[in-house]
Amino acid sequence: MKRIETAWWETRGFVLAAVLLSIVPLLLPAIPPLTDLPGHMGRYRVMLGTDAAVLSQWYQFHWRIAGNLGVDLLVAGLAPLLGLELAVKLVILAIPALTASGILWISREAHGRIQPWVLFALPLAYNYSFLFGFVNHALSMALALNAFALWLRLGRQNRIGLRAALFVPFSALIWLAHVVGWGVLGIMAFGAELARARQQGRGWLATLVMAGVACLPLALPMVLLFVWRSSDGAGVTGRFFEIRLKLGFIAMVLRDRWAIYDIASVALIGIVLYRALRDRRIERALSLAAASLLLFAAFAFLPFILFGSAFADMRIAPFMVILALLTFRAGAAFPARERATLALIGLAFFGVRTAGSTIGFWQVDREWNRHLAALDHIPHGARLVTFVGSNCIDPWAHRRESHLSALALVRRSAFSNDQWRLAGSTPITVIAPGLGKYDTDPSQLVLLEPCPIQTDFMTMNGALAGLPRDRFDYVWLINPPAFDNRLTAGMQPLWRNRTDILYRIDNHRLSEARATH
C-alpha cells in the first residue's frame, strides 16, 4: 500500500507554531484589550480580599455554585502567586491557544490527519464574543473543543468505559467555566454519537436511544444547574428567533475594528464553505457534519438571552462556523496540488488575520493607556463615579472603554460604578448605600441624547444633574459627549487630556452650603 506523504500543515511542528501564533496579538498589551475584561478584573480584586478594609464598605463577594466561574477560579489560584494583572493576562493568553489546539485536534481525530480547512478556522479564536470580553464563555468553549476531540479519540479507540469515567468530572468542570460551553459540548457529542450509531446500521429510534445513553456521562451538570437556578430564581430568557439578528451575528463573527476587512474575511470563509459543499471530490466526517447541523439548530433557536447571559446565540455563532469548516476532508480524487494551494491560502488568511488582530490590540492598548493616565490622580480608596461616552447604536469598531473605570478598582481600590447586577450569575454584590441608579452597570454609560434602544443609559447632562454628590469624591469623564458645564459647578478639574476630564467634588463646600440653607 502506498504511503501518503505528510503535508506541512499536518506536522507537529506546524501544530506548535499555529498554537504559538494564536497568542501573538495578546503579547504586547499589559491588560488584554477586551471590552468587558476590566469589569471582570474589578470583581477579581474584590474576590482576592487584598484590600477588604476599604472594599468591604461597597462590595460583598460570596462563592457559590454557578455555571460562570471559569476565569474567576483560575485567577483565584494564580493571583496570590503572580499578582492579579499577570495572572489575568496568562489565563487570557491560554484561551486562544486552547481554542487553536482544540480546532487542530478535532480535525486530526475526525479525519485521521489535519485538513487544510483548519487554517480558515484558526482565526476564529479571535471572534467577536471573545473580543467583547466574555472570558468565562470563551474559556469554556476552548475547553469544550478539546474535550470533544478527546471524546472522538476515545470513541474511535472504543474505550467507552474510560470515556464515561473521564467525562463525568470533565463535563462538570466545563459547566463551572460557563454553562454554554457544557451545552455545546453535549450538542457536539450527541451529534457524533448519532453519526456513529447510524454508521453501525442502527435504525433511527435505536440511534437516538444509543446516542442519549452514550452522552449520559455529560449529564451531571444538570444537577448543578438545578442547584444554581433553584437558589437564585429561574433563569431569564428572551428574544427567541429574530432572523435578521441571527444573520447579523454570523456576519459579525470576526468583527473587530475595520468593517470592510472583517466582513471580507467572513465572506472568504463563506466562499470556502460553499466550494467545499459543491465539490464532489471533498468528503465529510459524518460525526462532525451531524454535530455541525445540531449546533446550527441550537444557534437558530437559542434565545438572545439565556439564564441572564446576553448574546447567548451570538456567542456560539463562531463555533458553529468552526465546526462547519472542520467537517470537510480531501478525498482520494482531490489532487495534492489543490490541497497545498488551499492550505497556502488558508495560511495567508491566518497570518493576515493575526497581523490585523495584533495591530488592532496595539491601537486599543495605546488608547487605554491614554485614558488610564487619570489613575495617577485618583487616591487609594476614592469614592469614584465614572461616565463613559456611548452611542445609541455602536459603530462597527465599538468603543472598548465601557468598563475601563474598573481598573481604578483594580489599581486604586476605588469604588467603580460599572459592576454587573446579575442575580446568580456573578458572586459579587454591590452594597454601597445611597447611590441609587449610580451603583452598577450601565450607570457608567452615557449618551448625548435619549435613545429608544438603550433605555437604561442616562444622558450626560442627566447623569451630572442627578448625581448624589455627597456619595462621591471624584468624577471621571471618559470620551464624554457634549454637556452643560454649569452642571460641574463645585467640581475642581484635577487632570484632563484631549478627550477625558477628572474632577474632584468639593464636598466640604457642599456641606457648608447645605448647613447654611
Side-chain angles (χ1 to χ4, degrees):
M1 183 176 179
K2 184 179 179 181
R3 183 178 180 274
I4 301 176
E5 184 178 349
T6 301
W8 56 265
W9 63 88
E10 300 169 344
T11 64
R12 292 181 180 178
F14 171 77
V15 169
L16 178 60
V19 170
L20 292 176
L21 187 60
S22 71
I23 69 173
V24 166
L26 289 164
L27 292 178
L28 178 62
I31 297 175
L34 313 176
T35 304
D36 283 358
L37 182 59
H40 294 303
M41 293 176 67
R43 180 174 73 251
Y44 306 152
R45 171 58 69 200
V46 178
M47 170 188 73
L48 294 173
T50 50
D51 208 351
V54 174
L55 297 180
S56 61
Q57 64 183 312
W58 303 315
Y59 304 103
Q60 289 181 344
F61 189 95
H62 298 291
W63 287 109
R64 68 188 78 179
I65 295 176
N68 188 21
L69 294 176
V71 178
D72 298 63
L73 293 169
L74 292 174
V75 171
L78 292 173
L81 303 174
L82 304 174
L84 174 57
E85 293 189 23
L86 179 57
V88 169
K89 178 164 182 173
L90 291 177
V91 172
I92 301 304
L93 275 170
I95 291 174
L98 284 170
T99 304
S101 69
I103 289 170
L104 292 158
W105 192 8
I106 289 172
S107 183
R108 175 68 175 81
E109 292 302 328
H111 303 290
R113 52 174 37 197
I114 295 171
Q115 298 297 314
W117 289 272
V118 158
L119 291 151
F120 296 92
L122 289 172
L124 287 157
Y126 286 87
N127 57 76
Y128 185 43
S129 61
F130 176 62
L131 299 181
F132 215 105
F134 298 143
V135 291
N136 287 334
H137 170 266
L139 176 63
S140 75
M141 293 300 295
L143 294 174
L145 289 177
N146 286 276
F148 181 51
L150 180 60
W151 180 278
L152 293 174
R153 180 178 182 83
L154 295 176
R156 176 172 57 81
Q157 296 173 342
N158 205 32
R159 302 168 75 180
I160 305 303
L162 175 61
R163 187 176 74 180
L166 289 175
F167 273 81
V168 171
F170 285 0
S171 63
L173 289 173
I174 293 171
W175 181 89
L176 279 173
H178 197 277
V179 61
V180 174
W182 163 71
V184 169
L185 173 61
I187 290 169
M188 294 189 297
F190 185 72
E193 293 308 306
L194 285 177
R196 178 186 174 90
R198 288 295 290 170
Q199 286 177 305
Q200 293 173 350
R202 309 284 182 177
W204 274 111
L205 180 60
T207 292
L208 291 170
V209 171
M210 289 183 65
V213 171
C215 291
L216 283 177
L218 304 174
L220 175 60
M222 291 295 294
V223 178
L224 300 176
L225 186 65
F226 175 78
V227 172
W228 177 26
R229 285 304 164 190
S230 64
S231 62
D232 289 294
V236 178
T237 60
R239 294 171 65 179
F240 270 84
F241 188 75
E242 298 182 21
I243 189 167
R244 290 179 61 186
L245 199 63
K246 302 287 183 179
L247 292 174
F249 287 157
I250 294 174
M252 292 190 300
V253 292
L254 287 172
R255 179 178 171 181
D256 189 354
R257 291 179 71 80
W258 306 287
I260 294 176
Y261 166 70
D262 296 333
I263 294 173
S265 297
V266 175
L268 177 61
I269 291 175
I271 292 169
V272 169
L273 285 172
Y274 177 76
R275 288 179 63 88
L277 284 169
R278 293 293 303 270
D279 195 329
R280 295 184 179 180
R281 301 170 302 170
I282 296 174
E283 300 172 354
R284 297 160 183 78
L286 294 181
S287 58
L288 298 190
S292 181
L293 289 172
L294 288 178
L295 199 56
F296 176 77
F299 166 76
F301 295 102
L302 196 69
F304 176 78
I305 300 174
L306 180 68
F307 297 130
S309 295
F311 300 104
D313 46 359
M314 181 268 278
R315 299 185 194 200
I316 69 169
F319 299 93
M320 175 185 73
V321 177
I322 286 171
L323 212 58
L325 286 164
L326 297 183
T327 297
F328 302 107
R329 64 167 170 258
F334 198 79
R337 179 176 294 180
E338 288 192 37
R339 282 198 309 138
T341 300
L342 181 65
L344 286 172
I345 296 171
L347 180 63
F349 179 62
F350 182 29
V352 169
R353 288 299 309 182
T354 300
S357 297
T358 303
I359 294 169
F361 278 15
W362 174 73
Q363 291 177 337
V364 176
D365 183 55
R366 289 184 63 193
E367 294 169 7
W368 278 18
N369 287 332
R370 181 172 56 80
H371 296 305
L372 293 174
L375 296 184
D376 294 336
H377 305 272
I378 298 174
H380 179 270
R383 299 186 301 172
L384 174 70
V385 64
T386 305
F387 299 122
V388 183
S390 189
N391 303 284
C392 184
I393 299 176
D394 275 333
W396 186 269
H398 74 279
R399 292 178 176 175
R400 296 191 191 173
E401 295 89 12
S402 302
H403 290 273
L404 197 60
S405 59
L407 292 178
L409 170 55
V410 172
R411 295 178 176 177
R412 293 290 185 269
S413 295
F415 177 80
S416 177
N417 58 309
D418 80 307
Q419 288 298 303
W420 296 274
R421 187 192 291 114
L422 298 171
S425 293
T426 177
I428 192 173
T429 304
V430 179
I431 59 170
L435 302 187
K437 60 184 177 181
Y438 293 83
D439 59 345
T440 56
D441 174 87
S443 67
Q444 82 280 12
L445 300 176
V446 292
L447 303 167
L448 176 62
E449 297 176 342
C451 170
I453 299 176
Q454 306 290 6
T455 55
D456 292 338
F457 291 11
M458 294 182 282
T459 63
M460 183 74 256
N461 285 338
L464 289 172
L467 181 67
R469 294 194 180 194
D470 59 331
R471 296 293 177 175
F472 295 102
D473 301 311
Y474 296 85
V475 179
W476 185 12
L477 306 184
I478 300 175
N479 279 329
F483 60 92
D484 187 345
N485 286 317
R486 291 173 295 180
L487 295 171
T488 60
M491 299 183 190
Q492 178 186 353
L494 294 182
W495 168 91
R496 69 172 67 222
N497 62 18
R498 61 184 176 84
T499 59
D500 307 347
I501 310 173
L502 176 67
Y503 292 100
R504 182 174 61 209
I505 300 175
D506 194 339
N507 279 317
H508 177 68
R509 290 186 180 181
L510 180 64
S511 299
E512 285 184 346
R514 286 181 173 175
T516 302
H517 180 72

